[in-house]
Amino acid sequence: MTRELDQKQAFQTHCLAQMGVTSWLSAPSGVAGTVFYAPQPWAMDQAFEPNAVPTASRVAPTQGFESGLPEPVAKPVAPEEKEQSVAYLREQLNAGPEIIVEDLQPIEELAVDIDVPVHVAPLTSSITHIELRAYALANQLLIVSEVPVSFSQQEDIDRLAVKMGQALLKTPIEEWTSRGLSWPGALRNPHFLTRQDWLLGALESFIIGLTSTFTGTPKVVLAGDNIATLFDELPAECELKAFPVARIVSLPELFRIPELRKDAWQIMQRALF
């Protein structure tokens, strides 16, 4: 019986033959046939013409349904190569036991704790938290004051800072900006509490950023004991050390206790002018 299979059925027959299925239906006598299929089942560029020998010329009819691929041909090995391979194996087997044992030893990686020295700047003061409010007035005067963490009289302190600037500079304040600094702020890592050098670096950057647009040498007023202490802890080569500085009580204290304003006024006059 001869039946021509299409390409899809021929490929399915080949796949079944690879799985060991060589007969689909039971019959009283064997069914002889040959399955032919394309040597490359995937689509190929029509411009490419492979030099392949037709399958029909390479496959002889066999009993049942079998693959149309040719049987693999074993590559002949020269006797000289066989002798060299056998001699190499004998040399390895006859090698000293210490070589074999050394080659078979597993590679072990031991976990070792490595101590990395971390430079921690010594604490020169106990200040680890600070809340600041700074006012840059007329590109000449900078007032940096401590404020409580929860402060509800911010507008009153702003007006007090502007009035102080007008009295010191003897001119109306038409341009001024206000910024805040909170340390450590949103940082929750306790490691930051021991790094006072980072706090000093933040303070230095904060003041330099506000005075970068000033004309001439900025005049600085430090209002509060903690901000004055931190200012003294800045490195001697810091450019802020060259600014004229006046040290007074914080602005919230001046707002609540007007009697302190006279002393603060005298201190600012002597230090800045």
Side-chain angles (χ1 to χ4, degrees):
M1 179 181 65
T2 301
R3 184 177 63 176
E4 182 178 355
L5 302 179
D6 56 17
Q7 183 177 1
K8 181 178 180 181
Q9 292 177 337
F11 184 68
Q12 291 177 345
T13 304
H14 167 66
C15 294
L16 289 172
Q18 295 294 323
M19 293 186 294
V21 180
T22 58
S23 177
W24 291 359
L25 300 176
S26 59
S29 60
V31 179
T34 302
V35 176
F36 301 100
Y37 54 90
Q40 173 58 268
W42 296 278
M44 299 180 61
D45 189 1
Q46 299 298 329
F48 176 76
E49 297 181 358
N51 297 326
V53 181
T55 308
S57 61
R58 295 186 284 110
V59 181
T62 58
Q63 183 71 14
F65 294 97
E66 296 180 355
S67 173
L69 291 177
E71 294 294 333
V73 180
K75 181 180 179 181
V77 180
E80 296 79 4
E81 296 182 2
K82 287 185 179 181
E83 293 179 0
Q84 293 178 0
S85 300
V86 173
Y88 178 75
L89 291 176
R90 288 177 179 176
E91 181 181 354
Q92 293 295 321
L93 293 175
N94 295 331
E98 66 281 358
I99 299 178
I100 301 298
V101 172
E102 182 180 355
D103 293 341
L104 297 180
Q105 287 296 326
I107 299 176
E108 298 181 0
E109 296 183 1
L110 302 179
V112 180
D113 295 334
I114 302 176
D115 296 331
V116 179
V118 179
H119 174 70
V120 178
L123 290 175
T124 54
S125 65
S126 60
I127 301 174
T128 57
H129 297 74
I130 194 167
E131 297 285 336
L132 300 176
R133 196 73 191 176
Y135 301 88
L137 307 171
N139 289 330
Q140 300 180 47
L141 178 65
L142 177 67
I143 301 176
V144 184
S145 174
E146 298 178 36
V147 294
V149 177
S150 299
F151 191 64
S152 59
Q153 297 176 318
Q154 188 62 53
E155 294 182 359
D156 297 330
I157 298 302
D158 293 347
R159 286 193 292 268
L160 177 59
V162 174
K163 290 180 180 179
M164 289 176 55
Q166 291 178 349
L168 288 172
L169 299 177
K170 300 177 182 181
T171 181
I173 303 297
E174 299 179 355
E175 181 182 356
W176 64 280
T177 59
S178 174
R179 295 182 187 176
L181 174 64
S182 176
W183 185 268
L187 302 175
R188 294 294 180 264
N189 192 336
H191 179 68
F192 289 103
L193 300 180
T194 62
R195 296 302 301 268
Q196 194 180 45
D197 55 336
W198 290 13
L199 170 57
L200 297 177
L203 176 62
E204 181 181 357
S205 300
F206 179 66
I207 296 178
I208 291 178
L210 287 168
T211 58
S212 59
T213 58
F214 279 23
T215 57
T217 302
K219 299 177 176 61
V220 181
V221 176
L222 302 178
D225 294 336
N226 290 336
I227 180 60
T229 301
L230 292 176
F231 191 87
D232 292 337
E233 297 296 337
L234 291 174
E237 63 273 9
C238 178
E239 61 177 304
L240 303 181
K241 294 289 189 176
F243 297 167
V245 176
R247 305 164 189 265
I248 62 174
V249 296
S250 65
L251 295 186
E253 293 183 66
L254 291 179
F255 178 76
R256 292 193 302 266
I257 309 175
E259 292 78 7
L260 298 176
R261 298 180 185 178
K262 181 179 180 180
D263 294 338
W265 172 257
Q266 294 177 352
I267 293 174
M268 290 185 292
Q269 284 287 331
R270 289 195 302 265
L272 303 179
F273 299 97

